[in-house]
Amino acid sequence: MLHTNLGINDNGNLTFAGFDTVKLAKEYQTPLYVLDENRIREKCRTYINAMKKHFGEKSQPLYASKALSFKYIYRIMKEEGMSVDVVSGSEIYTAKEAGFPMENTYFHGNNKTDFEIAFAMDCGVGHFVADCREELDAISQIAGEKGITQKILMRLTPGIDTHTYEAVQTGQVDSKFGTAIETGQALELTKYALTLPNIELEGFHCHIGSQVFDGQTFCDSADIMLDYINTVRKETGFLATVLNLGGGYGVRYVESDPYLDIEESIAAVATHIKAKAEEFNVPMPTILMEPGRSIVADAGLTLYTVGSVKTITGYKSYVSIDGGMTDNPRYALYGSQYTSCIANRANEVADFECTIAGRCCESGDLIAENVKLAKPERGDILAVMVTGAYNYAMASNYNRVPRPAIVALNKEGSKVVLKRETYADVAMNDM
Ligand code: LLP
């Protein structure tokens, strides 16, 4: 099986975190997001322990909550001692409502509005990751009006080309995010930030991209950032105490995806940072990382009910399900690959080649093309694996389709942690 939380029981049903997925589908209806809570907690601990071991006690993983943001996840993060990365006023609101300690939040985004900046400060957001000059000015000014000093990091682009899909590459010079080191603009902006009142520059941030498997690129970006810290110290006398290396560790969606060992990669990055710190004779900065996908992706599974199975003679077969791009737009957007199976016949040979289609009025509403399933029939339960990251987070109400519920699985049993939207919920704000 693709991940260790997947299995098949004696009834031939797919299990997830030890639960019979067919029973879950019957009990909670479909489409349904299912979340293996223990897996999320294990991942948090892997990051915390590996980072402390290799980067030192003060290092800290921030869960990039854009991957899956709702109250329950912030409660888990609080219990696990994680910090979090938030990217909008609404994520800040959700974290706060969930009781997450706001001093441990980092506010990201390439275009924070004045309203959001003020709101974040009122909520007590601990750190801002400033993207550009306009933002530095706005943060400084609004902090001044509130009579506070806001801690900030500056987002920089180290000029790294990751081998991932274009939509999620962010570390290259030509990017809407951050300020480029290569062009000299980062240094100019850092000097400017140091002159501004009501902000306290703690250090620098970079995020090279998402779904990255090549551990070397993380080492390369760490090298560039340490070089930059050294340059800034020489040029301005300012010594950064914090270096945030962003997120991006790749996750296996299909058998052919490689496997990236989180601890091994952290150890390798630490070797680079320590060597550079020694070379430049600067103290090791506090290292932050921002994993999103690698914390929640394989802790998620989506269950659907099969509707029509349509074979177009001489062409192909379409298997339509009761969800689709509204709960998982990632195939439509990026052509992302998923592993799926008929959950109520998980031990049968998968030899029926088909395209899995959603129910929206849109031909591109597909979940997978040319995949093999046990021959599906109306009423079967289809499971799509590794849907914990950027699925619910990117879900929409296109065609006024209500978003599914999320059910968490833990040692106490299963429970709804996010309610299924009703038709009335979808129409709630209509005047
Ligand atoms: N930090 C920053 C500043 C980010 O922009 C991101 C992701 C992360 C951390 C977390 O990266 P991760 O560990 O999850 O790879 N919607 C796309 C992914 C967009 C990623 C956006 N930024 C997808 O579904 O593949």
Side-chain angles (χ1 to χ4, degrees), residues 161-172 175 177 208-210:
D161 186 3
T162 49
H163 302 288
T164 183
Y165 43 104
E166 206 177 318
V168 296
Q169 276 197 352
T170 51
Q172 71 281 20
S175 166
F177 299 103
I208 54 175
S210 197

Side-chain angles (χ1 to χ4, degrees), residues 66 85 155 165 207 210 248 290 292-293 330 334 390 394:
K66 71 205 75 181
D85 146 0
R155 179 165 182 167
Y165 43 104
H207 169 73
S210 197
E290 291 169 342
R293 191 190 307 270
R330 297 190 69 257
Y334 320 117
Y390 306 111
M394 295 174 75

Side-chain angles (χ1 to χ4, degrees), residues 18 93 117 145 161 177 193 261 267 283 301 303 385 392 403 405 427:
Y93 173 84
I117 292 171
E145 286 160 15
D161 186 3
F177 299 103
D261 186 282
L301 176 100
L303 297 171
M385 297 157 201
Y392 169 70
R403 291 181 183 84

Side-chain angles (χ1 to χ4, degrees), residues 165 203 288 315 410 424:
Y165 43 104
L288 308 177
Y315 291 84
N410 59 30

